[in-house]
Amino acid sequence: MLKKGLQGDNITFIYHCQNHYFCPVGYEDVPLRAVNAYRTGLTQEEVETWILIGDTSRKHPGVHCKKWSDISTDLNCQSPDFMDIRRLDRGMQKRKTKKVGGNLHCIMAFQRSHWQGVNMNILRERKRHNVVTNSHTLSDKDSVETEDNESFEESMSSDVSS
């Protein structure tokens, strides 16, 4: 799903790892055998997938290129074991914690929504329409009378009290 999502325009991903968020931005399928370097149509078994990950940290490069197998290992670790995807040279590590099991590292997928939100102009127009139709305005108070020949003010006061 990750590779397919990275190819399209409607899905984006966030990779949560080591209390930090990365953005997978692309991938490369590298043939396992040199003779297949320029061959197309290779199966997943014939390639090794590398994921390009954007990193917002000032202390690390802006883009990392990591093997999918390493990311998968990280995602499947169980506490207290963990893997720092930025520092793979350290290998599998153990946290000093009493909590055992579980892993907060994950890849979240977000799908583009085509909902454009509430059109504020329509809301303003509806509000204005409701105010105009539900309120009574008095331009010439002496000439306005109801069917019972009451003055406009008397009819308004009776509307307000009821």
Side-chain angles (χ1 to χ4, degrees):
M1 178 180 160
L2 180 64
K3 287 172 36 174
K4 189 174 184 177
L6 288 171
Q7 290 173 352
D9 294 336
N10 293 322
I11 297 179
T12 190
F13 299 94
I14 303 284
Y15 174 24
H16 177 252
C17 173
Q18 290 297 109
N19 208 23
H20 186 72
Y21 296 93
F22 302 99
C23 291
V25 294
Y27 72 93
E28 181 180 9
D29 283 331
V30 178
L32 295 174
R33 297 180 45 207
V35 296
N36 293 333
Y38 298 103
R39 202 175 114 216
T40 60
L42 296 173
T43 65
Q44 192 58 48
E45 291 76 31
E46 296 175 297
V47 297
E48 183 173 55
T49 301
W50 290 74
I51 306 295
L52 298 166
I53 305 168
D55 189 347
T56 59
S57 174
R58 292 177 290 136
K59 297 178 181 181
H60 296 277
V63 177
H64 301 274
C65 190
K66 302 296 178 180
K67 291 180 190 177
W68 171 250
S69 59
D70 292 334
I71 294 172
S72 181
T73 300
D74 171 50
L75 295 173
N76 291 300
C77 285
Q78 295 290 311
S79 183
D81 296 330
F82 75 99
M83 185 174 197
D84 186 347
I85 203 71
R86 288 177 171 154
R87 298 177 187 99
L88 292 174
D89 56 305
R90 295 182 182 176
M92 291 296 290
Q93 301 175 61
K94 285 199 181 290
R95 283 189 181 90
K96 296 177 183 176
T97 181
K98 294 178 183 178
K99 296 179 183 179
V100 177
N103 183 355
L104 297 176
H105 297 188
C106 63
I107 296 178
M108 298 170 274
F110 297 88
Q111 187 171 6
R112 178 183 299 203
S113 171
H114 296 289
W115 184 68
Q116 295 297 314
V118 177
N119 185 332
M120 295 307 291
N121 292 330
I122 292 173
L123 285 179
R124 284 186 200 104
E125 183 62 29
R126 284 184 183 165
K127 184 176 179 181
R128 188 172 88 28
H129 177 71
N130 286 341
V131 168
V132 169
T133 58
N134 293 334
S135 67
H136 301 282
T137 57
L138 182 60
S139 58
D140 187 3
K141 134 177 166 175
D142 293 330
S143 64
V144 177
E145 294 185 358
T146 63
E147 292 176 4
D148 297 330
N149 249 358
E150 294 174 315
S151 72
F152 181 77
E153 284 184 341
E154 290 172 6
S155 69
M156 286 300 292
S157 66
S158 66
D159 286 346
V160 171
S161 62
S162 56

